[in-house]
Amino acid sequence: MSIYIWQGFDHYWQREPHRLNKCGSYIDADVTGEHPLVHFVSMMQIGRFPPDTCHTHSVVHHAGNVSSRSIDGSSTLQVRGSLGEYVSAQGDRVTIDLPDDHLCATVVLRGFELESSFPHGFHTRGFGFQIQDIRQDTTAISFTPCCCIFPDRSPDPTTNPDCFVWKIIPFPPVLKPRTPNQFEYSMTLYYSVIFDQESKIGFSYDNVSSGPIRSRHIGPGAGRTITPCAFQGEPGNKYAGATVGIRGFKWELLPWDRTRYDGRYLRKIQFIFDGLDYDLATGRMTCVPKMEFNNFGGQHGREQVSRLIRLLRSRRRSSKGFLRAVARSIRGIYGFNVRYEMNTTMLQFVDENSTPPSYLYNRIRKDPVSITLV
């Protein structure tokens, strides 16, 4: 029996950036029957408006020995704090009994989920999930689930209730911005305990980090990390196959000297592995970790900024088109410093019993949750 390894997520709003309200990506695998069933569950929800479509992707790798097993579970934490405050939380230690002695085990993420108690969500400076302090004895394995989140106010004047626009124009109350000073998120860490006989499996731990990366231009790709990296396992032709799991990920927007507040709308968030290539003789796994945050507004990216400039220069312009271009451009012009981190586990297997990674896709419209049977 082989196992399924979640290798990250990629969520992208089609038209506009939105506040961080509900976000998640995880897999549920049932391998007890003759034909394994794997569900890819993703979720994303807008803050207030306008309506939008979110494209959600994940990578799942079917790998392992015939004798490899997994035990799945989850841990949920309630994270509270004041807006503009970075908050981390640590859950109670989780202990999982192993079915036999002389097993070698580790723990990796199989996804995450977060949801704001405020229905519109908050502008964000980052979030993360991590499995810490993994320990194993002869009968059990234990670890500590951790998470962090950083809601903040946005520099966008359209979100500031004290902006003169909201005071001089009689907008309906439902349209006026309102954000509480306190926040609360429910954050769920989904995990898989992977185990096998000591002679058939091996683990190597590493980290991938970058930053601070300064956004030097506006548009998709600002801040993306695509530098190939390598993980070193045990060499010598002992292990015929390998894969990479995620023990944790975190991203954070650092202080930006050009704005008063550092919270941002979220257009795209990505932590994913691509291009796995394992060398049997050296025990070396190379891959491309893709990590990106983007908050660029407007359906056509930088073309909207060009359109705004043309409108400003034109004497013939409609007030509706002008305001729409201004709004979309405002929501994307603010830069940021960003730092990314992924904690990884390389898993090596005696058997070559794997298939190429599966690239999964869900499209989210009105319903904030989408499920695909793999």
Side-chain angles (χ1 to χ4, degrees), residues 314-374:
S314 174
R315 294 183 178 181
R316 294 189 302 174
R317 58 175 182 260
S318 68
S319 58
K320 182 178 179 181
F322 175 74
L323 290 175
R324 184 183 295 113
V326 169
R328 286 184 170 178
S329 299
I330 281 176
R331 296 172 73 175
I333 62 175
Y334 297 110
F336 51 83
N337 290 316
V338 61
R339 181 164 52 207
Y340 308 97
E341 179 180 327
M342 269 202 293
N343 313 110
T344 64
T345 300
M346 179 179 173
L347 302 93
Q348 292 177 282
F349 308 100
V350 170
D351 300 338
E352 177 55 61
N353 185 36
S354 64
T355 60
S358 299
Y359 292 82
L360 311 179
Y361 169 70
N362 282 336
R363 183 172 60 178
I364 297 174
R365 288 183 173 175
K366 294 181 179 180
D367 189 343
V369 180
S370 184
I371 302 174
T372 297
L373 179 64
V374 182

Side-chain angles (χ1 to χ4, degrees), residues 9-25 40 42-47 50-57 112 266-270 360-372:
F9 68 102
D10 181 0
H11 288 193
Y12 180 75
W13 286 111
Q14 179 172 311
R15 296 180 59 85
E16 304 283 350
H18 296 277
R19 306 182 194 201
L20 182 61
N21 184 355
K22 185 180 184 72
C23 178
S25 170
F40 165 45
S42 60
M43 53 202 70
M44 203 71 164
Q45 188 170 349
I46 65 169
D52 210 338
T53 298
C54 188
H55 304 279
T56 65
H57 303 79
F112 73 96
L266 187 152
R267 178 77 179 276
K268 176 184 178 69
I269 183 66
Q270 178 189 52
L360 311 179
Y361 169 70
N362 282 336
R363 183 172 60 178
I364 297 174
R365 288 183 173 175
K366 294 181 179 180
D367 189 343
V369 180
S370 184
I371 302 174
T372 297

Side-chain angles (χ1 to χ4, degrees), residues 178-229:
R178 59 184 183 90
T179 304
N181 294 322
Q182 302 294 316
F183 70 84
E184 179 178 351
Y185 277 90
S186 175
M187 304 185 69
T188 300
L189 179 153
Y190 295 91
Y191 63 84
S192 285
V193 176
I194 309 298
F195 58 91
D196 206 333
Q197 299 173 28
E198 293 178 351
S199 60
K200 293 187 175 182
I201 197 168
F203 309 119
S204 303
Y205 302 102
D206 211 332
N207 297 317
V208 180
S209 61
S210 67
I213 293 177
R214 190 176 182 89
S215 172
R216 299 186 181 277
H217 67 279
I218 300 301
R224 177 182 296 179
T225 301
I226 57 174
T227 304
C229 68

Side-chain angles (χ1 to χ4, degrees), residues 124-146:
T124 184
R125 289 181 62 176
F127 62 85
F129 294 82
Q130 190 174 36
I131 295 169
Q132 291 186 346
D133 193 20
I134 301 173
R135 303 178 191 174
Q136 184 189 351
D137 57 29
T138 56
T139 60
I141 186 170
S142 63
F143 65 93
T144 301
C146 302

Side-chain angles (χ1 to χ4, degrees), residues 42-308:
S42 60
M43 53 202 70
M44 203 71 164
Q45 188 170 349
I46 65 169
R48 300 181 71 191
F49 50 79
D52 210 338
T53 298
C54 188
H55 304 279
T56 65
H57 303 79
S58 184
V59 175
V60 175
H61 196 191
H62 178 206
N65 304 308
V66 175
S67 56
S68 298
R69 301 288 189 274
S70 65
I71 300 174
D72 294 342
S74 63
S75 177
T76 300
L77 301 176
Q78 301 298 322
V79 185
R80 304 176 181 87
S82 300
L83 209 59
E85 175 186 11
Y86 173 91
V87 178
S88 60
Q90 191 175 85
D92 295 334
R93 191 164 188 83
V94 177
T95 300
I96 305 295
D97 293 329
L98 299 175
D100 199 357
D101 296 342
H102 308 295
L103 295 174
C104 189
T106 192
V107 189
V108 295
L109 288 175
R110 62 182 177 93
F112 73 96
E113 179 182 349
L114 62 85
E115 183 173 10
S116 169
S117 61
F118 180 55
H120 297 159
F122 296 90
H123 298 92
T124 184
R125 289 181 62 176
F127 62 85
F129 294 82
Q130 190 174 36
I131 295 169
Q132 291 186 346
D133 193 20
I134 301 173
R135 303 178 191 174
Q136 184 189 351
D137 57 29
T138 56
T139 60
I141 186 170
S142 63
F143 65 93
T144 301
C146 302
C147 63
C148 63
I149 198 161
F150 199 168
D152 200 355
R153 299 189 187 278
S154 167
D156 190 331
T158 62
T159 67
N160 183 0
D162 297 324
C163 183
F164 75 95
V165 173
W166 303 109
K167 297 182 180 296
I168 64 174
I169 300 178
F171 288 103
V174 69
L175 296 179
K176 294 184 178 180
R178 59 184 183 90
T179 304
N181 294 322
Q182 302 294 316
F183 70 84
E184 179 178 351
Y185 277 90
S186 175
M187 304 185 69
T188 300
L189 179 153
Y190 295 91
Y191 63 84
S192 285
V193 176
I194 309 298
F195 58 91
D196 206 333
Q197 299 173 28
E198 293 178 351
S199 60
K200 293 187 175 182
I201 197 168
F203 309 119
S204 303
Y205 302 102
D206 211 332
N207 297 317
V208 180
S209 61
S210 67
I213 293 177
R214 190 176 182 89
S215 172
R216 299 186 181 277
H217 67 279
I218 300 301
R224 177 182 296 179
T225 301
I226 57 174
T227 304
C229 68
F231 305 117
Q232 184 61 57
E234 184 175 340
N237 297 304
K238 177 180 178 180
Y239 296 107
T243 189
V244 176
I246 299 174
R247 284 179 294 115
F249 68 89
K250 180 174 69 173
W251 65 280
E252 180 183 349
L253 300 182
L254 305 177
W256 182 255
D257 54 8
R258 301 181 185 180
T259 54
R260 179 182 178 187
Y261 299 114
D262 292 312
R264 297 292 187 270
Y265 286 101
L266 187 152
R267 178 77 179 276
K268 176 184 178 69
I269 183 66
Q270 178 189 52
F271 278 84
I272 210 162
F273 280 111
D274 195 10
L276 298 183
D277 187 14
Y278 176 63
D279 187 287
L280 172 63
T282 64
R284 189 178 179 88
M285 171 74 79
T286 58
C287 60
V288 179
K290 296 182 178 179
M291 303 180 285
E292 180 184 3
F293 161 81
N294 188 273
N295 71 323
F296 190 65
Q299 185 176 6
H300 304 296
R302 280 173 290 181
E303 295 178 1
Q304 289 292 339
V305 178
S306 300
R307 181 169 179 264
L308 171 61

